[in-house]
């Protein structure tokens, strides 16, 4: 690591949220450009920066700062230059000169320890002196905080977040108990545990055990979708994770229950342990749906039949009996579910309900979990549909990473009917927030396919609601004539019944290419994307073709396929802009995906006319700008522009190939999927069903027919611990 010492001559760019800075520094008579996380840096300061030199093709040689330290000025001229830089409120060059003339070399000591003496300077009141003191102490304190965290390889970005959350006492708090930092977004248990180890705190340090238990429960929620774990399972996992004794884990669980952070609920033959967040969400959803299911409206069926006939005349579509029953149910029930596979007429039912309700003067809101699902809902209904987050008006949050909604129990939605599509993707936390914001007068119509994979987040909401039989549910099974013409739809239903799909009719849309070698299989997929499908069908290689795979790892996994597909579809060009993060290279035009929910990330649309916050796990977009000077990369998601700083690029990944789980809620013109050996838990019928129902126009499977048969035959569904069904049944 190299070192550069000099004076800040000018700050070119600074992000106040995290301190990412581009500045010019003079050293030994030369001017250098520095980039990195240097929060609160001001002209006139002297710093020592540690990092490495990098040559930029457009901006020349730059010093990439990994760590830095402020060096406080010592001579009177240095102090005057420092104070006159504008670093402190109410102090310009003229006032700086007066302060130094009055106090000399002791000027900074006077500001820190005797700030009232600043009132001796003409023009500085007591109020101004207090503001000068407060800002100066913040500068000194932030410097000490950043230096403290640098010992543990914690970035200045995270250090600033910790400071904003806990204030100037954060060093003392973190020294006593580094696990308090888990309240700050970005400070994982792993980071805090590393700090704990370097502080030589014992493994059975009680706050470590508390934090580790909660981390196990959180990981089980976000990685496996569990809202709780059986107590024996939790204790066993935490024992291995923390490397402490069983009785220490059990005692800590009891403590956390007493403190109200964990909830224990007796199931049939075991104790279920919840984080309070998930228990409250399950209980809230169950209570509201039970209340709604008990509210039945008296409706004149003959009158409703006339409304249906009128809607049929306007649209030219005649409803089947099951579809009519769904429309009747929408009028008669406060809450209901419409579920069925592709081609069973869910969209026709939604449009009929909208047609009739609008004619009656009812206000209707449409929502879906993802941007792509909402966009598709808008296209097929002719009404604007919003993501659930946008409907609820998600609010930026400092530090914690939690999401807050402007629409809630105190500021509810203004609608008579709320229709939510792709309900299989809605997790328990989002469902609870949605129901809190729904007025009691409103009807809720939940639409989805319960045979698809469950939500990425915690819970099994749609399946639990249906299985509880506590909410009116219309199950659609008939495939309509137009849908029968597509082998994609026919095969989806065949797979769902455990039957092998029909493949390779030259006049249809579902194909299977045989391939027994994994390396050749990957090359075949790349050739299909780049050459064969675009030439035969006219689809764009990047925007219209999507490779879906069951796994992230192995030769047919996301990581391997993305590297290959990027090289084939968007190869590096001489002098082309690129950004590197964690070994992944992003280029202009790359297809990328957001890999975590970021409720604070800002977006703009229509040239900045519309603004908002929130980019979500699974959103797919394209790299449209890379700015080396500002160290930013811009991704466009369905017209929404999102600017990422280079330090945030771990939040996105290449998306030429994505897992089937991440594809939920999306539709693609073409889906290509490898059929090759992987973990048995991933070779399931509902995963294959989910994958092929993402395709609108063409499915191509590449690999072994015996692997396809394994997918079709394996109807095992991975266990997902969820208590919503039981809470819905209990009266």
């Amino acid at each position: 690591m190299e070192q550069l010492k000099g004076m800040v001559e000018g700050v070119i760019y600074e992000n106040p949220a995290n301190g990412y800075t581009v500045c010019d520094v003079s050293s030994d008579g030369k001017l250098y450009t520095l980039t990195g996380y240097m929060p609160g840096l001001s002209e006139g300061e002297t710093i020592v920066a540690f990092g490495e030199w990098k040559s930029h093709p457009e901006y020349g040689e730059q010093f990439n700062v990994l760590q830095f330290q402020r060096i406080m000025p010592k001579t009177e001229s240095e102090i005057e230059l420092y104070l006159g830089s504008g670093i402190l409120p109410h102090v310009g060059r003229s006032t700086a000169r007066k302060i130094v003339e009055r106090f000399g070399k002791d000027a900074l000591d006077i500001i820190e320890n005797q700030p009232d003496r600043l009132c001796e300077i003409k023009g500085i009141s007591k109020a101004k002196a207090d503001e000068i003191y407060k800002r100066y102490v913040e500068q000194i304190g932030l410097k000490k905080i950043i230096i403290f965290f640098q010992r543990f390889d914690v970035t200045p970005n995270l250090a600033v977040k910790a400071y904003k959350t806990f204030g100037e006492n954060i060093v003392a708090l973190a020294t006593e108990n580094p696990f308090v930092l888990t309240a700050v977004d970005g400070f994982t248990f792993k980071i805090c545990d590393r700090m704990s180890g370097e502080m030589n705190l014992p493994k059975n340090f009680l706050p470590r055990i508390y934090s580790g238990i909660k981390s196990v429960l959180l990981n089980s929620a976000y990685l496996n979708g569990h809202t709780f774990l059986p107590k024996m399972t939790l204790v066993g996992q935490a024992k291995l994770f923390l490397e402490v004794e069983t009785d220490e884990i059990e005692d800590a669980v009891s403590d956390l229950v007493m403190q109200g952070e964990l909830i224990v609920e007796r199931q049939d033959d075991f104790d279920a342990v919840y984080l309070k967040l998930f228990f409250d969400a399950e209980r809230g959803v169950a209570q509201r749906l039970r209340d709604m299911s008990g509210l039945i409206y008296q409706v004149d069926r003959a009158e409703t039949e006339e409304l249906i006939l009128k809607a049929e005349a306007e649209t030219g579509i005649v409803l089947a009996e099951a579809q009519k029953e769904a429309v009747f149910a929408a009028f008669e029930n406060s809450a209901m579910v419409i579920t069925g596979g592709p081609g069973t007429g869910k969209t026709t039912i939604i449009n009929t309900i909208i047609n009739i309700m609008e004619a009656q003067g009812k206000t209707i809101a449409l929502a879906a979990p993802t941007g792509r699902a909402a966009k598709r809902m808008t296209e097929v209904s002719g009404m604007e549909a919003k993501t659930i987050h946008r409907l609820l008006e998600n609010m930026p949050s400092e530090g914690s990473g939690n999401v807050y909604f402007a629409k809630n129990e105190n500021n509810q939605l203004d609608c008579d009917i709320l229709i939510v599509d792709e309900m299989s993707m809605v997790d328990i936390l989002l469902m609870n927030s949605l129901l809190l914001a729904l007025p009691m007068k409103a009807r809720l119509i939940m639409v989805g396919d319960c045979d698809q994979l469950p939500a990425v987040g915690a819970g099994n909401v749609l399946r639990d609601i249906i299985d509880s039989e506590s909410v009116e549910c219309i199950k659609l099974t008939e495939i309509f004539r137009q849908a029968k013409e597509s082998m994609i739809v026919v095969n989806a239903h065949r797979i769902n019944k455990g039957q092998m799909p029909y493949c390779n009719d030259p006049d249809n849309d579902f194909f299977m290419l045989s391939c027994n070698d994994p390396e050749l299989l990957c090359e075949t997929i790349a050739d299909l994307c780049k050459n064969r499908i675009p030439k035969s069908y006219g689809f764009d290689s990047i925007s219209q073709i999507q490779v879906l795979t069951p796994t992230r790892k192995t030769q047919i996994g996301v990581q391997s396929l993305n590297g290959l597909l990027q090289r084939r579809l968007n190869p590096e060009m001489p002098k082309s802009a690129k950004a590197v993060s964690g070994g992944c290279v992003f280029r202009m035009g790359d297809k990328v995906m957001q890999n975590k929910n970021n409720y604070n990330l800002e977006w703009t649309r229509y040239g900045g006319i519309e603004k908002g916050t929130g980019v979500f796990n699974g959103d797919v977009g394209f790299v449209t700008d890379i700015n080396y000077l500002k160290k930013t990369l811009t991704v466009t998601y369905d017209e929404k522009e999102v600017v990422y700083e280079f330090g945030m690029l771990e939040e996105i990944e290449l998306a030429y190939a994505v897992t089937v789980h991440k594809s939920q809620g999306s539709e693609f013109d073409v889906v290509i999927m490898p059929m090759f050996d992987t973990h048995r838990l991933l070779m399931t019928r509902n995963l294959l069903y989910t994958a092929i129902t993402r395709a609108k126009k063409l499915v191509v499977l590449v690999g072994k027919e015996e692997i396809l048969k394994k997918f079709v035959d394996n109807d095992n569904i991975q266990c997902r611990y969820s208590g919503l069904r039981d809470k819905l049944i209990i009266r």
Side-chain angles (χ1 to χ4, degrees):
M1 192 179 295
E2 298 190 61
Q3 174 180 321
L4 178 67
K5 178 181 178 181
M7 180 180 291
V8 179
E9 297 291 344
V11 176
I12 300 168
Y13 169 80
E14 180 186 15
N15 184 323
N18 60 18
Y20 183 82
T21 302
V22 179
C23 65
D24 286 334
V25 170
S26 61
S27 178
D28 296 329
K30 296 181 180 179
L31 195 65
Y32 301 100
T33 299
L34 277 62
T35 64
Y37 293 97
M38 297 173 281
L41 210 59
S42 297
E43 181 182 338
E45 288 191 274
T46 299
I47 64 170
V48 177
F50 303 90
E52 54 190 3
W53 292 101
K54 288 191 174 180
S55 182
H56 188 281
E58 185 174 350
Y59 301 109
E61 196 171 43
Q62 297 179 336
F63 193 72
N64 185 35
V65 178
L66 302 176
Q67 297 179 6
F68 85 104
Q69 296 176 1
R70 288 181 169 89
I71 298 177
M72 298 309 293
K74 296 177 181 178
T75 67
E76 290 185 6
S77 60
E78 288 175 347
I79 292 170
E80 182 179 332
L81 187 61
Y82 170 73
L83 292 176
S85 67
I87 194 170
L88 301 176
H90 313 299
V91 179
R93 293 182 180 179
S94 175
T95 304
R97 188 178 307 112
K98 292 176 184 177
I99 292 173
V100 173
E101 287 175 353
R102 179 72 181 85
F103 302 115
K105 293 180 182 179
D106 298 326
L108 298 182
D109 184 67
I110 293 292
I111 293 172
E112 183 175 2
N113 299 302
Q114 302 177 62
D116 287 348
R117 289 196 61 191
L118 290 172
C119 297
E120 298 173 17
I121 307 297
K122 186 177 179 180
I124 299 182
S125 64
K126 176 67 166 62
K128 288 182 178 180
D130 289 343
E131 289 185 50
I132 293 169
Y133 164 75
K134 183 179 179 181
R135 178 60 178 153
Y136 182 75
V137 169
E138 283 179 356
Q139 286 284 339
I140 300 301
L142 192 55
K143 168 192 170 185
K144 293 177 180 177
I145 289 166
I146 289 171
I147 291 172
F148 168 78
F149 280 110
Q150 283 177 347
R151 290 167 44 199
F152 307 105
D153 293 326
V154 173
T155 66
N157 182 15
L158 276 182
V160 171
K161 284 187 177 182
Y163 170 73
K164 287 182 176 180
T165 303
F166 292 101
E168 58 190 31
N169 293 326
I170 183 55
V171 171
L173 289 170
T175 301
E176 182 180 344
N177 174 17
F179 297 97
V180 300
L181 293 165
T182 55
V184 181
D185 186 32
F187 273 96
T188 61
F189 174 85
K190 184 177 179 181
I191 292 174
C192 298
D193 200 34
R194 186 179 70 237
M195 293 177 65
S196 174
E198 293 187 25
M199 293 175 185
N200 294 317
L201 294 171
K203 287 190 174 182
N204 64 352
F205 178 53
L206 196 52
R208 177 179 183 268
I209 298 177
Y210 290 158
S211 183
I213 290 169
K214 290 185 284 186
S215 180
V216 168
L217 286 168
L218 275 174
N219 286 338
S220 75
Y222 294 127
L223 297 178
N224 300 308
H226 303 312
T227 58
F228 68 82
L229 285 178
K231 186 176 180 180
M232 288 183 62
T233 303
L234 171 62
V235 171
Q237 290 184 9
K239 183 179 186 295
L240 291 173
F241 183 58
L242 296 170
E243 298 178 340
V244 298
E245 297 301 319
T246 299
D247 59 345
E248 293 176 306
I249 300 291
E250 291 176 338
D251 289 345
V253 169
S254 297
D255 290 347
L256 290 168
V257 171
M258 291 291 292
Q259 294 164 18
E261 294 193 56
L262 300 184
I263 306 292
V264 176
E265 182 180 65
R266 186 66 186 172
Q267 301 285 348
D268 292 337
D269 54 357
F270 63 87
D271 286 333
V273 183
Y274 287 84
L275 286 168
K276 187 175 185 298
L277 174 72
F278 295 108
F279 179 81
D280 288 347
E282 271 193 2
R283 183 173 59 181
V285 169
Q287 181 63 57
R288 181 64 193 279
L289 287 178
R290 288 203 308 268
D291 291 345
M292 295 180 77
S293 65
L295 184 58
I296 306 298
Y297 297 96
Q298 297 301 317
V299 175
D300 186 330
R301 282 219 162 196
E303 185 179 317
T304 306
E305 180 82 43
E306 289 183 13
L307 294 171
I308 292 174
L309 288 171
K310 184 179 179 182
E312 288 177 332
E314 290 179 6
T315 60
I317 297 174
V318 178
L319 272 63
E321 285 305 311
Q323 291 177 308
K324 285 184 181 180
E325 281 303 314
V327 177
F328 286 132
F331 280 84
E332 294 169 349
N333 294 275
S334 179
M336 68 167 296
V337 172
I338 301 170
T339 185
T344 55
K346 298 189 295 294
T347 298
T348 299
I349 295 169
I350 291 172
N351 288 342
T352 302
I353 292 169
I354 291 171
N355 182 303
I356 296 173
M357 293 289 190
E358 276 193 320
Q360 293 183 329
K362 304 289 188 183
T363 57
I364 303 167
L366 306 182
T370 67
R372 289 201 167 202
K375 184 178 181 182
R376 189 173 69 252
M377 200 178 185
T378 298
E379 291 168 351
V380 299
S381 69
M383 272 186 67
E384 183 189 15
K386 298 179 180 179
T387 64
I388 297 175
H389 284 85
R390 186 171 168 223
L391 180 75
L392 298 180
E393 299 176 14
N394 60 288
M395 306 286 286
S397 59
E398 277 293 332
S400 69
N402 294 327
V403 61
Y404 299 95
F405 295 111
K407 294 297 182 182
N408 51 46
E409 62 268 44
N410 300 315
N411 178 31
Q412 293 186 314
L413 297 165
D414 182 17
C415 64
D416 298 310
I417 300 100
L418 173 61
I419 303 175
V420 183
D421 199 8
E422 295 286 359
M423 267 296 301
S424 63
M425 295 184 62
V426 178
D427 63 51
I428 193 67
L429 296 181
L430 189 56
M431 186 65 178
N432 189 45
S433 296
L434 185 64
L435 290 176
L436 284 171
L438 189 67
M440 285 300 297
K441 66 169 186 174
R443 290 180 171 89
L444 174 64
I445 301 171
M446 297 169 278
V447 184
D449 184 347
C450 63
D451 292 316
Q452 288 187 21
L453 293 170
V456 174
N460 206 4
V461 175
L462 180 61
R463 172 60 69 182
D464 281 353
I465 292 172
I466 294 171
D467 289 349
S468 74
E469 299 183 353
S470 62
V471 174
E472 179 69 18
C473 180
I474 302 296
K475 297 181 180 179
L476 306 171
T477 56
E478 181 183 354
I479 306 175
F480 292 97
R481 182 185 61 79
Q482 187 175 4
K484 286 180 181 177
E485 297 172 3
S486 166
M487 278 297 108
I488 296 174
V489 173
V490 171
N491 283 336
H493 288 271
R494 286 184 62 81
I495 288 166
N496 211 20
K497 295 174 184 176
Q499 301 170 348
M500 286 289 282
Y502 298 127
C503 302
N504 298 337
D505 180 337
D507 296 323
N508 227 297
D509 53 11
F510 199 105
F511 296 90
M512 172 86 185
L513 300 184
S514 179
C515 183
N516 295 321
D517 178 76
E519 189 168 329
L520 180 60
L521 182 149
C522 294
E523 290 293 340
T524 300
I525 288 175
D527 185 49
L528 283 165
C529 292
K530 183 176 176 61
N531 299 310
R532 294 166 66 176
I533 291 176
K535 287 178 181 177
S536 298
Y537 296 92
F539 294 115
D540 181 77
S541 295
I542 297 177
S543 64
Q544 292 181 286
I545 300 174
Q546 183 62 57
V547 177
L548 301 182
T549 178
T551 180
R552 292 190 61 82
K553 298 180 181 179
T554 77
Q555 198 165 353
I556 62 157
V558 165
Q559 295 171 353
S560 175
L561 283 170
N562 269 321
L564 173 64
L565 292 170
Q566 185 192 46
R567 292 193 296 274
R568 295 289 190 275
L569 305 180
N570 192 24
E572 184 172 5
M573 304 296 288
K575 296 184 179 180
S576 62
K578 63 182 179 180
V580 181
S581 174
C584 182
V585 177
F586 298 103
R587 300 174 187 144
M588 290 288 293
D590 271 337
K591 182 193 288 188
V592 296
M593 173 181 283
Q594 176 79 10
N595 59 32
K596 62 177 284 190
N597 289 338
N598 188 328
Y599 305 107
N600 298 334
L601 199 53
E602 296 179 352
W603 54 261
T604 60
R605 186 156 47 190
Y606 311 129
I609 295 173
E610 185 179 345
K611 297 181 180 180
T613 59
V615 183
F616 306 105
N617 190 355
D619 286 354
V620 174
F622 298 89
V623 177
T624 51
D625 184 60
I626 298 175
N627 188 314
Y628 286 120
L629 181 61
K630 293 184 178 180
K631 300 284 185 183
T632 60
L633 178 148
T634 301
V635 177
T636 301
Y637 299 98
D638 289 328
E639 299 180 337
K640 294 193 300 188
E641 286 194 351
V642 179
V643 178
Y644 295 84
E645 294 162 8
F646 283 1
M648 298 171 60
L649 293 184
E650 72 277 0
E651 293 193 13
I652 61 173
E653 57 191 49
L654 294 174
Y656 298 99
V658 302
T659 62
V660 178
H661 284 83
K662 287 292 185 75
S663 73
Q664 289 174 264
S666 297
E667 274 192 344
F668 313 99
D669 288 309
V670 181
V671 164
I672 302 173
M673 185 175 177
M675 290 285 106
F676 221 81
D677 265 319
T678 185
H679 197 291
R680 187 176 183 277
L681 290 175
L682 296 173
M683 296 171 62
T684 64
R685 184 184 299 170
N686 69 332
L687 185 140
L688 177 61
Y689 173 82
T690 300
I692 67 171
T693 55
R694 300 306 90 207
K696 292 190 290 184
K697 298 178 181 178
L698 181 66
V699 168
V700 181
L701 307 179
V702 185
K704 302 179 181 179
E705 187 172 339
E706 60 263 36
I707 299 299
L708 173 59
K709 190 171 190 313
K710 285 184 179 180
F711 273 95
V712 173
D713 290 344
N714 184 7
D715 63 349
N716 292 326
I717 297 175
Q718 191 172 355
C719 170
R720 179 171 281 214
Y721 293 117
S722 167
L724 178 61
R725 173 185 171 277
D726 292 341
K727 290 181 176 67
L728 283 165
I729 293 172
I730 296 170
R731 294 282 177 180

